[in-house]
Amino acid sequence: MGHNVGYKFISNKTGSETAMLRAAGAISAQIIEHLSPHVEPGVTIKQLNKSAHDLIPKSTAKISPATTPASPSPTDEIDFNDEATDIPLRKGTVFGTDVSIKKEGWCGDTARQWVVEDDTSSEARWFLAAVYQAMCLGISLVRPGVKVQEMAETVQTYV
C-alpha cells in the first residue's frame, strides 16, 4: 500500500472501550453536522473553524494546539485540519474538512466534503462519488475478525 501504518498494533476493544470511541466519534459527528448549514458562499474557513471550536465543551473534549494557534487552553483538543483563512468560499468550491477530537483519552475522527451551493464540475462530482463509494466499501468490510490491514488493502485496490 505504500503507507507505514502499524495496523498489526491495533487491538480489539472491549465493550466499554468501544463505548468511549463511540462517544468521541459522536462529538466529531455533531461538529460536522453543525457546520453543514454554514458551508455557503461568502463564509470563510476561519469562521467555520471558530464555529467548530465554540461547540466543544471544554470539560469533555480537547483541542489540538498543533493545528489551532489560538486554542482556548492546553487541556482542550480538537484537530480542525484546514488552514483558517479569511478567503470566502465560492459557489462550486469543493470544501472538505477533517475533525478530530479527544475525549477522556479516546479519539473521535470524521471527515466531510461539501460542494458549496451544490454546483460544481462533472469531474469534481465524479471524484466525490468515487471517494464516497470507497468509504462505503470500507464500512461494508467492518465485522469481527476482519483485520484493518485487509480492509485498507481492499479499499486501496478499489481506488
Side-chain angles (χ1 to χ4, degrees):
M1 276 183 17
H3 298 99
N4 291 325
V5 178
Y7 293 112
K8 65 183 174 184
F9 299 111
I10 298 173
S11 64
N12 291 332
K13 305 297 182 246
T14 65
S16 62
E17 290 172 329
T18 300
M20 292 302 296
L21 286 167
R22 284 186 176 147
I27 293 171
S28 292
Q30 288 169 358
I31 293 167
I32 293 286
E33 197 64 33
H34 170 77
L35 291 177
S36 291
H38 303 288
V39 176
E40 59 187 19
V43 174
T44 68
I45 295 173
K46 193 176 273 185
Q47 290 169 315
L48 293 170
N49 193 6
K50 181 180 179 332
S51 182
H53 284 96
D54 289 347
L55 273 178
I56 303 299
K58 291 178 176 60
S59 61
T60 63
K62 297 182 175 191
I63 299 175
S64 172
T67 56
T68 53
S71 62
S73 77
T75 60
D76 296 330
E77 197 172 325
I78 179 176
D79 192 355
F80 192 76
N81 291 327
D82 288 304
E83 182 181 346
T85 68
D86 286 318
I87 300 169
L89 296 175
R90 294 174 302 168
K91 182 177 180 177
T93 300
V94 175
F95 168 73
T97 192
D98 180 26
V99 177
S100 301
I101 67 100
K102 206 175 254 192
K103 176 179 171 62
E104 298 175 25
W106 294 92
C107 295
D109 183 88
T110 190
R112 167 84 195 264
Q113 293 183 333
W114 296 266
V115 176
V116 179
E117 288 282 303
D118 203 31
D119 182 25
T120 195
S121 69
S122 58
E123 292 86 4
R125 288 199 182 283
W126 179 86
F127 171 76
L128 291 170
V131 169
Y132 183 79
Q133 290 168 355
M135 179 192 71
C136 290
L137 172 61
I139 291 170
S140 75
L141 298 171
V142 176
R143 62 184 150 279
V146 177
K147 295 183 185 226
V148 174
Q149 179 71 38
E150 293 169 16
M151 292 185 288
E153 288 172 355
T154 302
V155 171
Q156 185 66 33
T157 300
Y158 172 80
V159 175

